[in-house]
Structure formats: structure tokens, C-alpha cells
Amino acid sequence: MGFKEWLEAPAKGVATTSSPRMNMLRGALARITTPLLPDDYLHLANPLWSARELRGQIVEVRAETADSATLVIKPGWGFHFDYQPGQYVGIGLLVDGKWHWRSYSLTSAPVHADKTIAITVKAMPEGFLSSHIVGGVEPGTIVRLAAPQGNFALPEPLPEKILFLTAGSGVTPIMSMLRAMDRRGAVTDVVHVHSAPTEADAMFRDELQDLASRHDSLRLHLQLTRSMGKFNLDELDTVCPDWRERQAWVCGPGGMLEAVEARWTQEDIADNLHLERFAVDRSGQDGDGGTVTFAKTDRSVEIDGATTLLEAGEKAGVQMPFGCRMGICQTCVVPLEKGAVRDLRNGKLHEEGSRIQTCISTAAGDCTLGL
Ligand SMILES: Cc1cc2nc3c(=O)[nH]c(=O)nc-3n(C[C@H](O)[C@H](O)[C@H](O)COP(=O)(O)OP(=O)(O)OC[C@H]3O[C@@H](n4cnc5c(N)ncnc54)[C@H](O)[C@@H]3O)c2cc1C
Ligand code: FES
């Protein structure tokens, strides 16, 4: 291997980014400083510099409603601000000595002059990390980041007519889209129907109303469900009579997404529909649980039949590949070398020799993964 190929080849344990030049620089740093880890040097200079992973520092925590908060994060070396509005990032927080990863839609518009990004988190009842974040994560905290990704994004050029249908925290990816359109001064014909229990519960209420008042082409319908009842899809004919002609971006609770999917299919306009799910439908049967062995890293961990193999690996300290953490992106696919695993969404059993998605699979007895 020539020097150039050696420099450009992926370095073991070093996270890659979408930029080949950045990968080369990170890989080269890792090699040149081996056997000492490059992070040992970089961390001394700045905790945000890492050749191995994307990091960020929380610079502001802002309450949005009683149970939601925006985190403004300054990403470190290697982060690209050319994400598409609507995409999400992976974020890892260290709580009680363990890293916990979740996905959050970016609420900021891309290419922020101050080089920060924002996510907005709603505390879920009994939700571990969302409650921790909303309950008082401190500015200054260092977080780990996974690069922005996802197909729930606005295309270029923008469609002439858009419908945004959101409920609760489902407004977050749409906020990034609206902010991006506003920033570019290019708000096309948009109807936004957003549901929240009360005015006080509606995230970004003031900003949404301000945007609608500043752009004639943007109409906002705020459905306050406690006083007005749930938004019935039949009401679209009144609120947005040409909804069948619009490209629709929809994000909200699972029940709402199912109803929308069924309605758009029934109307034969499913091609116009873009959906974002925040949670996996775990309606399949749980696995049996068992001991999960990670062959290459020689680690093992025992899990119950509701814990995913991805969570198992993270628990065991294995560097697990992942993206969406909900069965969409395929980033987490690994070979199943021995045993069987079960898909938590539909109960389907996968036997040894297959390639499986760790984020939505659990152990069906003892099993070994090629990691
Ligand atoms: C692409 C994407 C984008 C997202 N964007 C956002 C966003 O912008 N804002 C936002 O607030 N969230 C967003 N989410 C959701 C977010 O990733 C987390 O899932 C959410 O914050 C809950 O995490 P948690 O740790 O608090 O909950 P967890 O502790 O993981 O639990 C989640 C929920 O499941 C329940 N639960 C936990 N374990 C079990 C079990 N074994 N059986 C049954 N129920 C269980 C809990 O009671 C809780 O209600 C997004 C998710 C995805 C996939
Ligand atoms: S992490 Fe995206 S499919 Fe598993």
C-alpha cells in the first residue's frame, strides 16, 4: 500500500464523516499518533476535538413549554453544517457513568452563522433520557454526536404547495424546515396544521404565529385539542381544500401517522406523503432473552427479551454502528453468527447466517453477533 492509500484508508476505531478530506485528516491523525490515542492529545487542547468521534458542547438550555426544552449545541471538529432541514442527529449523553444514545430532529436551520445546532426534546412519561434532558442537563455538558441523516427532508427546489401536519413534539423537524425557508426568504404556499393540548403546551407557538403573520403564503391552523377536540382528517377539506394536491410532511404520535397513511392510501395519493416516526412500533412478540456474545470484541451480556441487541452491545461497551435506532436506515445491520434473534416489530425469527438489524431485534435464546 502506498503512503497516500495508507493515509486515506479508514483507520480502525475512527468514525468517518461524509467528507473524504476530513476522513483522511482524522485517519492520518489517528495513525501518526499511534500507539498513543490521538484523542489523548486533542482532549488536552479542547474537549470538543476528537479524531475518533463527533462531539459537541451544550451551550444553552432553553425551556420551550413546561415539559420540553431546546438544547443549543456547539459541535466540535468534523461536524458539517450542510444538513437538510428535517434531518435528525444522534446524541449521546453520559448519565451515571454510561452513554445513552437517542435520535432527535434538528430544529435549527442549516448553516448557522454561529456554528451551533439545536434540538428540542419533550420529556416522555417515564422516558429516561428525555426526562433527564428536560429535567436539567447543564450548559457546558459534552455530548457525543452522530452525523445528521434521514430522508424526511425538504427537496430542492421546493414543491409549489406544501402541507405540514404535526402534533406535539412532531413539530420539531418542521420547525427546521420553516426556519430554513424563512431564512432564505423562500416560503412557498404552505398550510401548517399543528395540534397541541393547550396554547401553553404548543412548542414554538409564538414563533409559528410570527412566521405566519410575516408570510402571506404560510397559513397556520393551531388545533388546541383540549378545547377543540382531536383534529379529524375530514376537516382538511375545510382547513386546506386542496390538500390532495400538496406534498405532505407529517410527524406526530403513531396513531395519527397510521390514520394519515391509511387516508392517503385510500385517496391514492400516498406518493405525496412523507412521514417521520419517533418511535418503533414494538407490537411484535418479545424475544426469550439470552446471552448475547460479540465475537470480534470477545464480550457478552445477558439481556431480557425486550432489550434490543443494540442496547445490549452498548451496555457491554461494544462500539455498535447505528443511525435511526428504529429500523429504517439499515446502519446497524450485522451478521448473526450463531443462534436466533426476534424482530420486535413483528415477532419474526431470524436464524444464524442472516444479517440482522440490531436496533429492532432482541435475543431469542443465546446468540453471537459478528461484531
Ligand atoms: C428520527 C427521530 C427523531 C426524533 N426527534 C425527536 C424530537 O425532535 N424531539 C423529541 O422529544 N423526541 C424525538 N425523538 C424521540 C427520541 O429519540 C426518544 O425516543 C424520546 O426522547 C424518548 O426517549 P427516552 O429515553 O426519554 O425514553 P425511553 O426511556 O427510551 O422510553 C421511551 C418510552 O417508551 C416507554 N418504554 C420504555 N421502555 C419500555 C418497555 N420495555 N416497554 C414498553 N414501553 C417502554 C417509556 O415509558 C417511554 O414512554 C425522535 C426519534 C426519532 C427516531
Ligand atoms: S439504526 Fe437505523 S435501522 Fe437500525
Side-chain angles (χ1 to χ4, degrees):
M1 193 190 279
F3 182 66
K4 185 169 177 288
E5 287 77 17
W6 177 75
L7 270 184
E8 284 177 357
K12 192 168 182 285
V14 177
T16 53
T17 73
S18 57
S19 157
R21 281 186 60 195
M22 187 56 73
N23 289 343
M24 191 169 100
L25 200 61
R26 290 154 76 101
L29 247 172
R31 288 187 182 83
I32 288 162
T33 53
T34 299
L36 287 178
L37 299 175
D39 281 5
D40 295 341
Y41 298 100
L42 293 169
H43 199 89
L44 284 175
N46 184 330
L48 287 185
W49 291 353
S50 165
R52 277 173 202 280
E53 61 187 26
L54 295 174
R55 289 190 192 160
Q57 183 168 40
I58 298 173
V59 291
E60 189 188 343
V61 182
R62 205 167 49 224
E64 293 291 348
T65 62
D67 64 355
S68 66
T70 289
L71 303 187
V72 181
I73 299 168
K74 183 176 173 29
W77 199 30
F79 188 91
H80 291 274
F81 289 84
D82 55 357
Y83 56 88
Q84 292 171 271
Q87 288 191 307
Y88 61 89
V89 283
I91 173 164
L93 268 107
L94 189 62
V95 186
D96 298 333
K98 275 192 187 157
W99 288 97
H100 298 266
W101 283 93
R102 299 288 184 276
S103 303
Y104 289 103
S105 301
L106 288 155
T107 45
S108 45
V111 195
H112 233 284
D114 59 0
K115 297 283 179 205
T116 59
I117 55 171
I119 58 167
T120 304
V121 180
K122 180 175 161 56
M124 302 237 339
E126 294 171 46
F128 176 77
L129 204 66
S130 60
S131 302
H132 173 81
I133 290 172
V134 177
V137 69
E138 293 288 333
T141 303
I142 298 291
V143 297
R144 292 165 77 183
L145 294 170
Q149 60 174 294
N151 299 327
F152 189 78
L154 279 182
E156 286 290 348
L158 290 176
E160 274 176 30
K161 289 178 166 205
I162 292 175
L163 170 64
F164 291 143
L165 201 51
T166 58
S169 58
V171 71
T172 52
I174 302 305
M175 206 56 226
S176 177
M177 295 180 184
L178 286 169
R179 284 173 170 164
M181 284 195 259
D182 181 46
R183 185 173 288 262
R184 286 189 232 146
V187 181
T188 51
D189 179 350
V190 178
V191 175
H192 183 188
V193 178
H194 178 55
S195 297
T198 65
E199 283 219 344
D201 293 310
M203 284 180 187
F204 311 116
R205 187 194 67 230
D206 292 347
E207 189 175 347
L208 290 172
Q209 287 172 337
D210 173 59
L211 281 167
S213 72
R214 285 193 289 109
H215 297 282
D216 290 342
S217 57
L218 171 61
R219 269 185 298 137
L220 172 68
H221 172 91
L222 196 54
Q223 180 87 7
L224 302 175
T225 54
R226 202 159 292 165
S227 51
M228 299 160 75
K230 265 192 180 174
F231 185 79
N232 185 325
L233 290 179
D234 290 338
E235 289 176 56
L236 277 175
D237 287 330
T238 316
V239 173
C240 178
D242 61 354
W243 64 274
R244 292 172 186 81
E245 296 159 31
R246 291 174 181 262
Q247 289 289 313
W249 278 264
V250 182
C251 186
M256 168 186 155
L257 298 184
E258 275 155 37
V260 165
E261 218 169 6
R263 186 64 190 269
W264 259 248
T265 306
Q266 183 196 335
E267 299 275 348
D268 203 18
I269 50 169
D271 286 352
N272 294 352
L273 187 59
H274 313 266
L275 291 179
E276 184 75 312
R277 289 180 197 281
F278 281 1
V280 188
D281 172 14
R282 291 187 175 201
S283 50
Q285 155 194 2
D286 282 357
D288 307 324
T291 302
V292 186
T293 303
F294 299 88
K296 290 190 185 154
T297 34
D298 199 22
R299 291 181 190 212
S300 56
V301 61
E302 198 168 328
I303 58 164
D304 62 25
T307 303
T308 65
L309 300 169
L310 174 58
E311 289 159 353
E314 288 172 345
K315 213 166 149 187
V318 179
Q319 200 170 1
M320 302 289 292
F322 69 87
C324 64
R325 304 178 76 91
M326 56 175 308
I328 299 170
C329 70
Q330 307 287 326
T331 312
C332 64
V333 170
V334 300
L336 174 61
E337 293 190 349
K338 268 190 215 152
V341 305
R342 198 177 288 281
D343 189 321
L344 283 163
R345 297 169 300 180
N346 49 28
K348 202 173 157 196
L349 206 63
H350 295 278
E351 308 278 346
E352 67 185 51
S354 46
R355 292 176 64 78
I356 50 119
Q357 289 167 278
T358 61
C359 72
I360 40 85
S361 306
T362 187
D366 296 348
C367 59
T368 303
L369 305 183
L371 264 173

